[in-house]
Amino acid sequence: MTARVGVITFPGTLDDRDTQRAVRAAGAEAVPLWHRDKDLHQVDAVVLPGGFSYGDYLRAGAISRFSPVMGTVIEQARAGMPVLGICNGFQVLTETHLLPGAMLRNNHLHFICRDQKLRVENATTAWTSDYAQGQEISIPLKNIDGRYVADERTLDMLEAEGRVAFRYLTDGPTADGYGNPNGSLRDIAGITNEAGNVVGLMPHPEHAVEPLIGTGRTDGLGFFTSILKKLVNA
């Protein structure tokens, strides 16, 4: 049986087809899902891709949170279905409270687009098991509302429970003048829920799955091979 991974499209989504391609590159079947359709069409996992859903005019992800499909996604995620939120998808996951915290405007108030080094902090989630803890990877980052924030109690909880999935590597200033690319607290680039089935991150692994595009590396492919192995071995 081929694993089926749904990829949701909202108005303003930019990276849904790139994400579908990444799913196929890992060997799974990519299933397009429309935001107004409550039916997930029997998929085994869901990806909320990047973009600017509804233009993000109110607040990033705030309107998409109320799309009909999200009611089903929330229900299924709480029941254990694997869900990955990339960039705007991460923002939607915080708006639905499937993940704690919030995303704010970058601290330098500029859109940023660059290849970004990350360190894998948790390699036990449904989406990260093909990585090693402490592994350093490079995948593209592009956002303007990418600053992860939470109160100190929540941050301490994430640290204590090992729920920080990725951190930005900030070994001094970069060519564009920024170390931590958006001011995210504690250099957090991605987190997971307690069960490890829901993961959100700001950088874009779907743009680093083939050697001829994106970074010219395949560091992002592990997200999609991880979930494939999880589903096949379930």
Side-chain angles (χ1 to χ4, degrees), residues 23-213:
V23 169
R24 291 192 295 269
E29 178 184 355
V31 180
L33 299 174
W34 182 236
H35 76 112
R36 292 182 61 86
D37 188 356
K38 293 182 180 180
D39 188 354
L40 296 183
H41 299 281
Q42 299 180 317
V43 299
D44 304 299
V46 168
V47 181
L48 282 65
F52 297 88
S53 56
Y54 289 95
D56 287 341
Y57 294 122
L58 176 61
R59 186 176 63 250
I63 303 175
S64 292
R65 179 260 179 274
F66 294 102
S67 286
V69 73
M70 288 309 301
T72 310
V73 169
I74 293 168
E75 176 184 323
Q76 292 300 309
R78 288 174 176 165
M81 174 181 279
V83 176
L84 175 65
I86 302 170
C87 194
N88 189 240
F90 185 12
Q91 294 160 344
V92 175
L93 290 178
T94 62
E95 291 288 336
T96 61
H97 304 296
L98 286 173
L99 292 175
M103 314 303 300
L104 299 180
R105 186 63 52 95
N106 296 347
N107 62 341
H108 45 73
L109 303 181
H110 296 288
F111 180 84
I112 191 165
C113 182
R114 75 184 195 197
D115 293 344
Q116 176 65 49
K117 289 185 178 180
L118 306 176
R119 183 173 61 244
V120 180
E121 302 282 21
N122 185 331
T124 66
T125 79
W127 298 93
T128 61
S129 62
D130 257 6
Y131 296 106
Q133 184 172 350
Q135 182 177 348
E136 297 182 5
I137 62 175
S138 179
I139 59 178
L141 173 76
K142 49 177 186 173
N143 65 68
I144 193 168
D145 295 301
R147 177 161 55 109
Y148 180 76
V149 299
D151 60 78
E152 286 297 312
R153 181 178 179 181
T154 298
L155 292 169
D156 289 343
M157 174 195 69
L158 292 173
E159 300 278 12
E161 296 180 359
R163 291 171 53 187
V164 176
F166 299 92
R167 281 188 221 275
Y168 298 112
L169 287 180
T170 55
D171 299 331
T174 57
D176 55 17
Y178 306 124
N180 178 318
N182 43 39
S184 289
L185 297 181
R186 304 194 188 182
D187 296 333
I188 291 174
I191 61 173
T192 179
N193 68 342
E194 186 175 4
N197 63 302
V198 179
V199 171
L201 79 160
M202 284 309 298
H204 288 259
E206 76 280 10
H207 295 324
V209 298
E210 296 173 307
L212 294 180
I213 61 172

